[in-house]
Amino acid sequence: MKKILVLEDESSIRSFVVINLRRSGYEPIEAGTGEEALRCIQQHPDILVALLDVMLPDIDGFEVCRRIRATGSKMGIIMLTAKSQEMDKITGLMTGADDYVTKPFSPAELLARVDALYRRIGGGDNGEDAISSGPFLLHLHSRTLDKNGEHIRLTQTEFSIMKLFMNNPGRALSREEILSAVWGEDYKGEVKIVDVNIRRLRIKIEDQPTEPEYITTVWGFGYKWGY
Ligand code: CA
């Protein structure tokens, strides 16, 4: 969800950074050269933050930063600078970087900067406010669903079922499991209510409700979010 570009040519530093980011819930995209980093950004338009090392074998980190900004991108950029690069810090900030971290840095120091930048550009909240799966985007605060950007009206029950499915992609959920998760453990009614709601949901979200591809039936058991 929270994609972050890590541009660093020294593989030991890169993997150290990547491991620590991954532990904190980020999804690092790795690049070893400036050109590679620019390609990664084109391939992953949802990258919200980039960590750019300055000293690289091809174009340097400042040039990468300039080229990112030249595309009109507003992604957060943190430069990774060496101690000797006093002037570089200033230049880095002037060419459009948001922040810089001086090597050697501790994981805690780097993560504090990354988290803060994510909060500033709103990435942290977006990551937790919505669940996406295939063409669907489920907004958890407004409790609404979009399919390919088109709004789909859901009842509160349908919303809860969608949330359960989208949080468990590819997992077969029994009718009883769906019933207790959505209607509550104390619900005394029949499990058939699950089927009734699934049928209605399919009409709303499937391209062809009679041949569902998102909510698939697991015969004799329950349903699965098949995306
Ligand atoms: Ca380097």
Side-chain angles (χ1 to χ4, degrees):
M1 282 292 246
K2 287 154 68 171
K3 282 189 188 170
I4 180 164
L5 177 81
V6 181
L7 167 59
E8 168 63 69
D9 59 321
E10 277 170 71
S11 58
S12 59
I13 300 178
R14 193 171 68 235
S15 45
F16 160 80
V17 169
V18 161
I19 287 166
N20 282 287
L21 286 170
R22 210 167 268 153
R23 263 189 208 139
S24 296
Y26 290 94
E27 188 187 331
I29 310 286
E30 298 182 52
T33 67
E35 297 286 357
E36 198 186 334
L38 292 166
R39 270 200 306 278
C40 286
I41 288 168
Q42 280 187 333
Q43 283 162 7
H44 303 273
D46 49 343
I47 291 176
L48 290 182
V49 168
L51 304 182
L52 307 179
D53 181 30
V54 174
M55 298 294 283
L56 296 163
D58 59 343
I59 52 172
D60 70 23
F62 297 131
E63 180 58 24
V64 175
C65 180
R66 268 192 293 272
R67 292 197 197 175
I68 292 172
R69 289 293 183 240
T71 66
S73 168
K74 292 186 169 55
M75 78 170 59
I77 296 178
I78 299 176
M79 305 302 298
L80 306 179
T81 66
K83 260 214 166 66
S84 56
Q85 295 166 329
E86 256 346 282
M87 274 309 290
D88 289 348
K89 286 179 184 175
I90 300 152
T91 322
L93 292 168
M94 284 174 60
T95 53
D98 296 282
D99 201 355
Y100 63 88
V101 179
T102 309
K103 292 178 186 175
F105 46 79
S106 69
E109 189 185 351
L110 180 67
L111 282 165
R113 302 293 191 86
V114 170
D115 290 343
L117 188 52
Y118 249 96
R119 274 197 301 276
R120 284 212 294 282
I121 59 175
D125 287 336
N126 289 348
E128 287 148 20
D129 280 0
I131 311 172
S132 71
S133 178
F136 298 99
L137 190 61
L138 192 69
H139 304 278
L140 301 181
H141 278 186
S142 58
R143 297 174 74 84
T144 55
L145 177 71
D146 291 339
K147 181 183 181 185
N148 291 320
E150 299 256 339
H151 190 58
I152 295 176
R153 289 180 71 95
L154 296 181
T155 64
Q156 292 302 321
T157 300
E158 290 162 354
F159 171 85
S160 300
I161 297 173
M162 282 301 289
K163 188 178 167 189
L164 179 66
F165 276 137
M166 290 174 74
N167 273 327
N168 293 279
R171 191 158 83 80
L173 299 166
S174 72
R175 283 183 179 75
E176 291 73 18
E177 201 175 345
I178 297 169
L179 190 71
S180 74
V182 174
W183 280 264
E185 304 276 349
D186 300 331
Y187 184 76
K188 294 286 186 289
E190 283 189 59
V191 76
K192 260 196 169 7
I193 189 72
V194 173
D195 304 312
V196 172
N197 274 273
I198 296 286
R199 198 179 315 136
R200 216 170 41 219
L201 248 183
R202 278 175 170 163
I203 291 167
K204 292 185 178 185
I205 71 157
E206 297 283 351
D207 300 334
Q208 287 180 288
T210 50
E211 287 171 54
E213 59 175 315
Y214 304 113
I215 303 176
T216 53
T217 301
V218 182
W219 293 108
F221 183 73
Y223 300 95
K224 186 171 82 171
W225 184 249
Y227 211 83

